Amino acid sequence: MSPYDPSSPYDPSAFPPFAVTVDLVVLTVRRHSLCALAVRRGEPPFQGRWALPGGFVRDDEDLTAAAARELSEETGLCAHDPDAPAQDNGAHLEQLATYGDPKRDPRMRVVSVAHLALAPDLPAPRAGGDAHSARWAPVEALLKQSGYGREGEQAEPLAFDHARILADGVERARSKIEYSSLATAFCPPEFTVGELRRVYEAVWGVALDPRNFHRKVTGTPGFLVPTGGTTTRQGGRPAQLFRAGGATLLNPPMLRPEV
């Protein structure tokens, strides 16, 4: 039996069809800098321009599944529960916002549901789909008013409305690490307080006092749990290792310094 009853006053043909895509703001900290995954488009529209990774939602998948598929195809990472800390080969993935300007895509009416993905220091990306190159780039460079281009390239704005989406994703990450344990999603399963501090510094773009930071994060209930181990991977004296605790909300919050 057809799901559409011809006797119903509702006529699907009276409404214009449109496509739905997912776009990904994939953030990581590389070389003490907050970086986003950017892909160079290999096909029109905006061929040759840098953009965020993403793609069309298939007719047999929901939005979360589409975002997880695109994340896996672009980075090899698996999405996990957004309320849990990141695990090996896993990434925090959450819905960011919906973008539906009728003119955002010159091909047709396309509504994009953007997602934010966070993961520890990631290897060089691989291009897939209609992208013929991909790279990690500092978010400050991608969001320059003059546009973005690699050395020797002409700087151009990101394709579509991806500059706005990226800016929204960066601000979501910056504000959310104030009151949640989300910063640990940028860290490996076991990390030092110094490594966590460098995440906050990279995301916020500020320098933090090491002693005050150590006191705050170790004194916040449920934020960090000692593993009993130490590491010298940062050089110097052995540093205590921690893992993310069970708290998802921080009380008191880690307030962002005013700059």
Side-chain angles (χ1 to χ4, degrees):
M1 179 178 178
S2 171
Y4 171 59
D5 181 359
S7 64
S8 170
Y10 173 76
D11 181 6
S13 66
F15 300 92
F18 62 89
V20 178
T21 61
V22 289
D23 287 311
L24 298 176
V25 177
V26 186
L27 300 179
T28 193
V29 175
R30 306 188 87 220
R31 302 182 186 93
H32 308 306
S33 178
L34 181 64
C35 295
L37 181 61
V39 297
R40 193 201 301 271
R41 290 189 55 79
E43 299 176 0
F46 305 109
Q47 185 171 6
R49 294 259 289 273
W50 291 92
L52 298 176
F56 287 93
V57 178
R58 296 171 179 170
D59 60 3
D60 62 344
E61 63 185 355
D62 63 22
L63 295 171
T64 300
R69 172 178 55 79
E70 289 289 342
L71 180 67
S72 176
E73 291 174 358
E74 295 288 354
T75 67
L77 295 171
C78 298
H80 65 78
D81 183 348
D83 293 325
Q87 304 297 322
D88 288 339
N89 199 41
H92 171 96
L93 181 67
E94 66 177 64
Q95 194 172 123
L96 175 62
T98 303
Y99 301 83
D101 189 311
K103 298 181 180 179
R104 63 177 304 275
D105 191 318
R107 293 170 293 189
M108 62 183 295
R109 180 72 191 273
V110 177
V111 172
S112 178
V113 182
H115 288 69
L116 175 65
L118 310 176
D121 185 19
L122 296 174
R126 60 177 186 270
D130 64 353
H132 69 266
S133 62
R135 73 184 310 253
W136 294 107
V139 295
E140 293 85 355
L142 290 170
L143 293 174
K144 280 184 177 179
Q145 191 170 6
S146 59
Y148 174 74
R150 299 181 69 174
E151 188 174 349
E153 297 178 350
Q154 179 182 353
E156 293 185 283
L158 297 182
F160 305 103
D161 51 359
H162 287 185
R164 176 190 173 191
I165 296 175
L166 175 59
D168 289 348
V170 170
E171 181 55 33
R172 167 76 68 85
R174 286 175 173 165
S175 62
K176 200 165 182 178
I177 65 173
E178 291 188 77
Y179 63 85
S180 78
S181 59
L182 188 63
T184 59
F186 288 104
C187 296
E190 296 186 356
F191 51 88
T192 68
V193 169
E195 289 169 336
L196 181 62
R197 187 186 78 250
R198 282 184 279 275
V199 166
Y200 275 91
E201 291 177 332
V203 175
W204 283 344
V206 298
L208 300 173
D209 180 82
R211 291 186 179 181
N212 286 341
F213 181 84
H214 191 284
R215 184 176 66 253
K216 287 181 180 179
V217 297
T218 56
T220 300
F223 191 7
L224 304 182
V225 176
T227 67
T230 60
T231 181
T232 57
R233 63 186 175 224
Q234 299 299 314
R237 299 169 57 185
Q240 188 176 9
L241 285 169
F242 294 84
R243 60 177 173 81
T248 55
L249 297 178
L250 304 183
N251 186 19
M254 295 284 297
L255 298 180
R256 189 183 343 179
E258 295 184 2
V259 293

